[in-house]
Amino acid sequence: MRVEQSFIPVRGVGEQTERKLWRQGITHWDDFEPDAVGSTTAERIEAFIDDARERLAHGDSHYFGRQFPSQAQWRLYESFQDGAAFFDIETTGLDQRHDTVTTVSVRQGGETKTFVRDRDLTADRLREVFADADLLVSFNGKRFDVPFLQHSFDLDGVLDRPHLDLMYPCRQIDLTGGLKQIEKDVGIQRDRPDLSGEDAVRLWYEAERGDDAALETLISYNREDVDHLETVADRVATRLHESTVPDDCTF
């Protein structure tokens, strides 16, 4: 679902009213007719569409991040997928005050880059890679990855953009557990299903002791997380679309 198919950001338009519009064949901003709803609601919808068209033409994802309610943020995904930055980090532990970030992988435009501590993982590189992102996509990144990155690299403002944390839309369609469990549930297979976050910590310390193979395994593990994030996002957005749009509506 694209943002142009949504009316839920409008004050006074809830899920029931939106579905009513869709059932009338108004499944896009271009289809809206003022007599489909009351006059006050119609004025609000028309004002929103006029503003939203201009914002979308300028690629203003921040605007839509502010306008869409939290449970509907997944609707930004299809419209801003081309400018999305899928990202994941590995660390030496769970405490950002004492532990360190070891690798960061970011996938944009079908390509994945991995930055490694003591090699090329710097604040400047992270600022550069996130600079043009329209949308951040992670799994549990709002609670873990973003605070860790901000604390470790002083990235305040850099990550201040719409953020689709897939953990929450997954829960909306009863996909629970960690990323690896959800990957299984949506039909994704890993090259190394035996590796875990604990292994990532172990691999880093082995790499510090000079084990190049351990470092390569860690990098591969981190990259696989990010590459799979895009597939999870695609499949979750499709399922949410199917569960949101009534069966008798055609988009």
Side-chain angles (χ1 to χ4, degrees), residues 199-218:
D199 290 309
V201 176
R202 172 183 57 79
L203 288 166
W204 173 253
Y205 286 125
E206 290 176 359
E208 281 195 316
R209 293 192 292 270
D211 188 338
D212 292 339
L215 180 59
E216 290 307 311
T217 300
L218 173 61

Side-chain angles (χ1 to χ4, degrees), residues 147-215:
F148 233 114
L149 289 174
Q150 288 176 333
H151 183 270
S152 300
F153 297 99
D154 190 22
L155 296 180
D156 286 345
V158 176
L159 301 174
D160 183 17
R161 58 200 67 225
H163 185 168
L164 178 60
D165 186 332
L166 289 170
M167 184 172 69
Y168 302 104
C170 281
R171 289 176 179 175
Q172 290 177 237
I173 50 175
D174 296 324
L175 290 172
T176 58
L179 177 61
K180 294 170 187 62
Q181 179 59 51
I182 289 171
E183 288 174 356
K184 291 179 182 178
D185 292 340
V186 299
I188 299 172
Q189 293 187 351
R190 283 187 166 250
D191 292 335
R192 290 290 305 273
D194 55 312
L195 293 179
S196 67
E198 292 181 358
D199 290 309
V201 176
R202 172 183 57 79
L203 288 166
W204 173 253
Y205 286 125
E206 290 176 359
E208 281 195 316
R209 293 192 292 270
D211 188 338
D212 292 339
L215 180 59

Side-chain angles (χ1 to χ4, degrees), residues 87-89 139-150:
F87 72 104
D88 182 71
I89 71 174
F139 189 90
N140 197 30
K142 287 186 176 180
R143 294 194 307 182
F144 185 75
D145 301 62
V146 167
F148 233 114
L149 289 174
Q150 288 176 333

Side-chain angles (χ1 to χ4, degrees), residues 45-242:
I45 291 176
E46 288 181 314
F48 165 72
I49 291 174
D50 288 344
D51 193 14
R53 282 190 200 281
E54 183 175 354
R55 302 287 190 135
L56 186 59
H58 287 88
D60 187 355
S61 60
H62 292 265
Y63 168 80
F64 294 99
R66 294 190 300 268
Q67 297 298 318
F68 276 71
S70 59
Q71 74 274 15
Q73 291 282 310
W74 62 272
R75 300 191 192 188
L76 276 65
Y77 177 67
E78 187 175 346
S79 294
F80 295 100
Q81 182 178 1
D82 290 345
F86 304 83
F87 72 104
D88 182 71
I89 71 174
E90 299 301 336
T91 68
T92 57
L94 303 177
D95 190 339
Q96 60 186 276
R97 296 169 300 174
H98 304 294
D99 295 308
T100 57
V101 180
T102 57
T103 62
V104 177
S105 288
V106 184
R107 182 174 178 81
Q108 293 174 295
E111 296 184 1
T112 302
K113 296 179 181 179
T114 301
F115 305 100
V116 181
R117 181 176 175 81
D118 299 328
R119 181 188 290 182
D120 57 2
L121 178 53
T122 65
D124 287 343
R125 294 300 299 273
L126 293 176
R127 290 190 186 98
E128 179 183 352
V129 77
F130 285 115
D132 298 325
D134 295 322
L135 179 70
L136 302 180
V137 183
S138 72
F139 189 90
N140 197 30
K142 287 186 176 180
R143 294 194 307 182
F144 185 75
D145 301 62
V146 167
F148 233 114
L149 289 174
Q150 288 176 333
H151 183 270
S152 300
F153 297 99
D154 190 22
L155 296 180
D156 286 345
V158 176
L159 301 174
D160 183 17
R161 58 200 67 225
H163 185 168
L164 178 60
D165 186 332
L166 289 170
M167 184 172 69
Y168 302 104
C170 281
R171 289 176 179 175
Q172 290 177 237
I173 50 175
D174 296 324
L175 290 172
T176 58
L179 177 61
K180 294 170 187 62
Q181 179 59 51
I182 289 171
E183 288 174 356
K184 291 179 182 178
D185 292 340
V186 299
I188 299 172
Q189 293 187 351
R190 283 187 166 250
D191 292 335
R192 290 290 305 273
D194 55 312
L195 293 179
S196 67
E198 292 181 358
D199 290 309
V201 176
R202 172 183 57 79
L203 288 166
W204 173 253
Y205 286 125
E206 290 176 359
E208 281 195 316
R209 293 192 292 270
D211 188 338
D212 292 339
L215 180 59
E216 290 307 311
T217 300
L218 173 61
I219 291 172
S220 175
Y221 172 77
N222 189 208
R223 291 173 68 90
E224 193 170 34
D225 274 352
V226 168
D227 293 345
H228 288 179
L229 271 180
E230 185 168 13
T231 306
V232 171
D234 290 342
R235 296 182 184 180
V236 168
T238 297
R239 289 195 188 185
L240 281 165
H241 175 96
E242 293 170 348

